[in-house]
């Protein structure tokens, strides 16, 4: 678990590596990173300070990135379609970056991987059109979905990452 979280923090740092930090009297410009996701992001049944966004925020602060604020935009039960529908609302005008962590509920509900891929791609493109830094946190499908479904679903995150040049953390549950 600890090793996986270190990799997840690395995704946050990778996303921030492209950020030009403006210095004002040695104070970096604040950076708002919105984590858009489902119950895994929302921290379902956890105290606010125990969820994944809060843990990422603390880890980045411990590494000297205290100027980064990680915003929890997780909604339990969200699919990629629901995330797309609320993208602009959830990613306010003051956001600098977005970590998209959606897809688990699509797989659990057996929804089309092609539709999930289209939704994720659209979110990435919407963020890029707004000049936001974008990263993806992937998911893998349950084993009972069959080989063809799993191959299509599991491969979509890497395909989107490569085609849109965004950092990818392959499996969110390793965080």
């Amino acid at each position: 678990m600890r090793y996986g979280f270190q990799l997840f923090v690395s995704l946050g740092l990778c996303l921030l590596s492209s950020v030009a930090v403006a210095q004002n009297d040695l104070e970096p410009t604040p950076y708002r990173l919105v984590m858009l996701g489902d119950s895994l992001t929302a921290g379902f049944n956890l105290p606010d300070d125990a969820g994944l966004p809060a843990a990422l925020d603390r880890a980045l602060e411990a590494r000297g990135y205290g100027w980064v604020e990680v915003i929890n935009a997780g909604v339990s039960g969200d699919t990629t379609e629901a995330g797309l529908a609320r993208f602009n609302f959830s990613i306010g005008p003051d956001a600098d970056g977005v970590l998209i962590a959606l897809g688990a509920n699509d797989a659990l509900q057996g929804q089309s991987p092609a539709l999930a891929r289209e939704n994720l791609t659209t979110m990435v493109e919407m963020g890029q059109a707004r000049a936001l830094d974008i990263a993806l946190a992937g998911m893998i499908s349950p084993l009972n979905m069959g080989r063809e479904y799993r191959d299509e679903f599991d491969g979509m995150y890497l395909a989107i990452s490569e085609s849109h040049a965004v950092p990818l953390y392959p499996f969110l549950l390793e965080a």
Side-chain angles (χ1 to χ4, degrees), residues 115-137:
L115 178 59
R117 181 177 176 163
E118 181 181 323
N119 292 333
L120 290 168
T121 299
T122 300
M123 284 184 266
V124 167
E125 291 171 349
M126 288 170 68
Q128 289 176 330
R130 289 177 48 186
L132 297 170
D133 298 312
I134 306 291
L136 283 174

Side-chain angles (χ1 to χ4, degrees), residues 84-165:
L84 175 57
R86 67 184 178 88
F87 185 88
N88 284 324
F89 172 78
S90 296
I91 315 304
D94 56 350
D96 298 297
V98 181
L99 175 51
I100 302 170
L102 286 162
N105 290 315
D106 296 69
L108 290 173
Q109 296 172 15
Q111 294 186 14
S112 163
L115 178 59
R117 181 177 176 163
E118 181 181 323
N119 292 333
L120 290 168
T121 299
T122 300
M123 284 184 266
V124 167
E125 291 171 349
M126 288 170 68
Q128 289 176 330
R130 289 177 48 186
L132 297 170
D133 298 312
I134 306 291
L136 283 174
M139 185 53 59
I140 58 173
S141 68
L143 296 176
N144 66 336
M145 297 305 291
R147 170 63 64 195
E148 185 177 320
Y149 183 95
R150 287 191 347 248
D151 288 348
E152 186 177 357
F153 184 89
D154 296 355
M156 73 179 169
Y157 294 98
L158 181 59
I160 295 166
S161 170
E162 289 177 345
S163 66
H164 289 77

Side-chain angles (χ1 to χ4, degrees), residues 1 12 17 19 41 70 87 104-105 111 113 116 127 138 142:
M1 181 83 161
S17 69
V19 176
T41 300
V70 181
F87 185 88
N105 290 315
Q111 294 186 14

